[in-house]
Amino acid sequence: MGLNAIISLNGIAAPLWHRVAQVVKRKNNIRWSAYTTDYRADRFFDQHADFYQYCLSDNTMAEWCETSNEEIDFAYLRQKEKEMGVSFWSLYYRDRRLSQSILGMDYATMKLKSLYDRDHLLRIFQHRTKKTEEFLEHVRPDFIVMFSSLSSIGTCLLYYLAKAKGIKVAILDSARLQDLYLFTDRYDDFPKIEQCSAYMKEAEKILDAYTNTGHFPLHYINDLIHTSSRLRTYWNIMRESWEARRLTYHYAASLRHFVWFKVKEKLRPLTDRTHFEKPLPDGKFIFFPLHFEPEVSLLQYAPYWTNQLETLSHIARSLPCDISLVVKEHPVMVPFRTSDYYRQISEHPNVHLVSSKLSAFQIIQKSIGTVTISSTAGWESMLLQKPVLVLGDVFYRHFPWSIPIESPKQFYTLLRELDDWIPPSREVIVKCIANILALKPFHFKFFKYEKHPELLTDKAVDELCDHLISFVL
């Protein structure tokens, strides 16, 4: 008897995941069912429906919810929240299309703009939960394969309900080292390996490469930014807007909206914002990097810290009198922020907004520590033996020398205690890197292959499938 499994076919990555399913089925006789996340995945599934046993379509559920008058069963919803260990409203705020009514590529500072009232949203939660449970009961999967971005209420429910039912989940995630990827069963942490001494030398080389050069080679970031041309990106936005016009809770941008959005994107970098910027202070300072938004770095890893201006204000109010706060913009966000956003930052007298072109490595070296939500700069700071106050549920939050933050009330006490903070030994840092290497991550350019599946070689997909099979079996 073969095994049953579910694979999440998400957006433009559907051809990539379908190819994975084909190879795994050939090697291990897996009976696949599919969860499709949007209209692109639906369209792809329709062309390959014979391959799969069953399918749960996100858009089909969404279309039903549009006209539903189903009675709200609060006892059922409370029971499911208890089983999953998470509130439905926290999942709502993660879903930028449901809570903000924006298209996936229409990036801007996050603002709530739901198209539905409370009761309609509760019906959406209820119907989606019931349909997902029915799907899991029908398929009875031995495991589920997903990508690490749980950015919609549909993928979140699939993940949390599977966890509640004891179904194994295989999440493909970046190892945060070079172009390495691995499979894990949690989106916010990596498994711990006690015996990782065999990887210590390789870990030392990775640490030395960063501390000596200041270059942190995270290839997945470059792949995400540079895999498509501007013209292709604009075309995708317009096509997504047109296709989404009939779908529930999707904001369909008009041509006028699209043109005006792109005009503002071009004009903003031309405006003089240097008067908001200051040089690095001479005295002691804490580093706070701004995040790309709206993205999973905030919505998924830190749903209670999504307002970066508010978080920055909490930090500024809590600083000891001899410490300043240095804020650096994410380079990709410069065309999308308004001048007023930077003005609000610069109005704090103990905050220095520095140029986005300044090296994070240089800032971290001169700082006495970093406060971060879930930024890669937090991981870099840890490698440089700096104290890191971590707000989000990101993997390095669980490292022994991180300083987790649960409430704004903790800022003052923890910032004041940084003078007495004892840095970790080099051996401890190397061991944490070695633990990641002991999970046997593999080279894979996900975002490149996602947009250009024709570049995915047989060797690359075979290696990915071998790691998947090893992880789930």
Side-chain angles (χ1 to χ4, degrees):
M1 287 285 292
L3 300 177
N4 296 318
I6 296 172
I7 194 162
S8 177
L9 301 178
N10 51 311
I12 58 175
L16 186 159
W17 288 115
H18 176 68
R19 191 167 170 187
V20 169
Q22 287 179 312
V23 173
V24 172
K25 181 177 183 178
R26 187 177 69 242
K27 292 185 175 184
N28 288 83
N29 191 29
I30 304 292
R31 291 187 296 271
W32 287 103
S33 294
Y35 172 79
T36 56
T37 62
D38 59 19
Y39 70 91
R40 290 167 297 191
D42 282 346
R43 182 186 301 157
F44 182 86
F45 176 83
D46 289 342
Q47 299 170 3
H48 303 84
D50 292 344
F51 178 82
Y52 297 94
Q53 300 288 315
Y54 307 102
C55 176
L56 179 64
S57 166
D58 187 276
N59 279 338
T60 299
M61 288 190 288
E63 289 171 359
W64 185 92
C65 291
E66 184 72 12
T67 57
S68 169
N69 289 315
E70 180 181 1
E71 184 177 350
I72 301 170
D73 185 345
F74 287 101
Y76 172 80
L77 292 174
R78 287 292 298 271
Q79 179 62 29
K80 293 306 157 186
E81 285 183 330
K82 181 179 179 180
E83 292 175 7
M84 295 188 296
V86 64
S87 102
F88 284 108
W89 289 114
S90 71
L91 305 185
Y92 159 79
Y93 285 105
R94 286 191 195 185
D95 191 323
R96 62 189 176 199
R97 298 190 178 191
L98 188 58
S99 63
Q100 301 170 55
S101 305
I102 62 171
L103 292 169
M105 301 182 74
D106 190 5
Y107 293 112
T109 302
M110 291 186 289
K111 294 180 181 179
L112 293 179
K113 187 184 177 182
S114 178
L115 299 181
Y116 300 108
D117 60 21
R118 170 181 173 270
D119 285 355
H120 198 127
L121 289 167
L122 288 171
R123 290 188 182 94
I124 289 174
F125 303 157
Q126 182 170 295
H127 177 72
R128 284 179 169 275
T129 304
K130 288 181 177 180
K131 287 299 180 183
T132 305
E133 283 201 302
E134 289 174 9
F135 180 57
L136 292 174
E137 184 64 28
H138 204 60
V139 176
R140 295 188 176 275
D142 295 283
F143 62 91
I144 298 174
V145 182
M146 310 175 71
F147 186 57
S148 59
S149 176
L150 305 180
S151 56
S152 70
I153 192 168
T155 52
C156 285
L157 286 173
L158 185 63
Y159 171 81
Y160 284 108
L161 288 172
K163 285 284 187 180
K165 295 176 182 297
I167 300 169
K168 182 148 190 164
V169 179
I171 298 174
L172 180 66
D173 199 1
S174 166
R176 273 63 164 198
L177 296 171
Q178 302 169 345
D179 62 348
L180 297 175
Y181 277 78
L182 51 76
F183 282 102
T184 178
D185 62 350
R186 290 178 56 180
Y187 72 86
D188 59 348
D189 196 11
F190 298 147
K192 300 296 184 290
I193 305 295
E194 294 299 327
Q195 299 298 327
C196 56
S197 56
Y199 300 91
M200 294 291 280
K201 288 187 177 180
E202 187 178 352
E204 286 184 353
K205 291 180 181 178
I206 291 174
L207 181 60
D208 288 339
Y210 173 60
T211 56
N212 293 336
T213 66
H215 176 57
F216 200 58
L218 282 177
H219 295 234
Y220 76 92
I221 294 178
N222 292 329
D223 290 341
L224 178 61
I225 296 173
H226 298 299
T227 48
S228 63
S229 68
R230 283 284 184 180
L231 184 60
R232 178 170 179 160
T233 299
Y234 296 166
W235 168 249
N236 285 339
I237 293 174
M238 288 304 296
R239 187 180 66 177
E240 183 171 355
S241 174
W242 176 255
E243 292 283 354
R245 71 193 187 284
R246 62 181 177 79
L247 302 180
T248 184
Y249 67 72
H250 286 203
Y251 174 67
S254 65
L255 179 60
R256 182 177 63 179
H257 170 87
F258 169 76
V259 172
W260 178 232
F261 180 81
K262 288 303 166 187
V263 167
K264 289 189 291 183
E265 178 188 345
K266 292 295 184 182
L267 291 180
R268 280 175 182 149
L270 300 179
T271 58
D272 182 17
R273 303 183 186 188
T274 56
H275 58 282
F276 294 125
E277 297 176 355
K278 300 176 183 178
L280 286 176
D282 294 327
K284 297 189 292 185
F285 67 85
I286 294 290
F287 178 37
F288 179 68
L290 291 176
H291 287 63
F292 185 46
E293 63 174 312
E295 263 297 339
V296 294
S297 56
L298 297 176
L299 298 174
Q300 176 174 309
Y301 295 117
Y304 298 101
W305 302 95
T306 56
N307 189 325
Q308 296 189 84
L309 286 177
E310 188 176 87
T311 301
L312 185 153
S313 180
H314 287 314
I315 302 169
R317 296 175 198 177
S318 307
L319 288 172
C321 61
D322 60 337
I323 299 177
S324 300
L325 182 67
V326 166
V327 178
K328 177 180 178 291
E329 176 63 286
H330 192 294
V332 178
M333 285 303 298
V334 172
F336 304 103
R337 304 277 197 207
T338 64
S339 294
D340 185 64
Y341 191 92
Y342 298 125
R343 178 190 59 76
Q344 292 182 62
I345 294 175
S346 64
E347 284 182 348
H348 293 279
N350 55 351
V351 173
H352 289 245
L353 176 65
V354 299
S355 171
S356 61
K357 298 178 182 178
L358 202 60
S359 163
F361 180 76
Q362 177 185 351
I363 299 173
I364 294 169
Q365 279 188 314
K366 295 181 178 181
S367 74
I368 63 168
T370 297
V371 179
T372 183
I373 299 175
S374 62
S375 171
T376 302
W379 178 216
E380 295 180 61
S381 300
M382 287 188 160
L383 298 182
L384 291 174
Q385 296 176 286
K386 296 285 186 176
V388 181
L389 280 67
V390 187
L391 282 64
D393 293 326
V394 67
F395 77 100
Y396 55 75
R397 180 187 180 95
H398 306 283
F399 286 179
W401 70 101
S402 73
I403 307 173
I405 293 278
E406 300 292 346
S407 164
K409 293 182 179 179
Q410 294 179 272
F411 277 126
Y412 176 69
T413 301
L414 294 175
L415 288 169
R416 187 181 56 187
E417 293 174 351
L418 288 185
D419 289 336
D420 302 321
W421 186 78
I422 301 174
S425 66
R426 175 183 168 86
E427 183 181 0
V428 170
I429 298 174
V430 170
K431 187 173 182 180
C432 284
I433 300 174
N435 181 84
I436 296 176
L437 297 176
L439 297 172
K440 298 181 179 179
F442 51 95
H443 294 278
F444 196 74
K445 294 182 178 292
F446 178 82
F447 291 105
K448 179 179 179 180
Y449 296 144
E450 176 190 47
K451 295 186 177 181
H452 301 284
E454 71 278 4
L455 299 179
L456 182 60
T457 64
D458 291 340
K459 180 180 178 181
V461 75
D462 280 344
E463 185 176 10
L464 185 151
C465 292
D466 287 343
H467 281 86
L468 171 60
I469 293 168
S470 175
F471 181 79
V472 297
L473 302 182

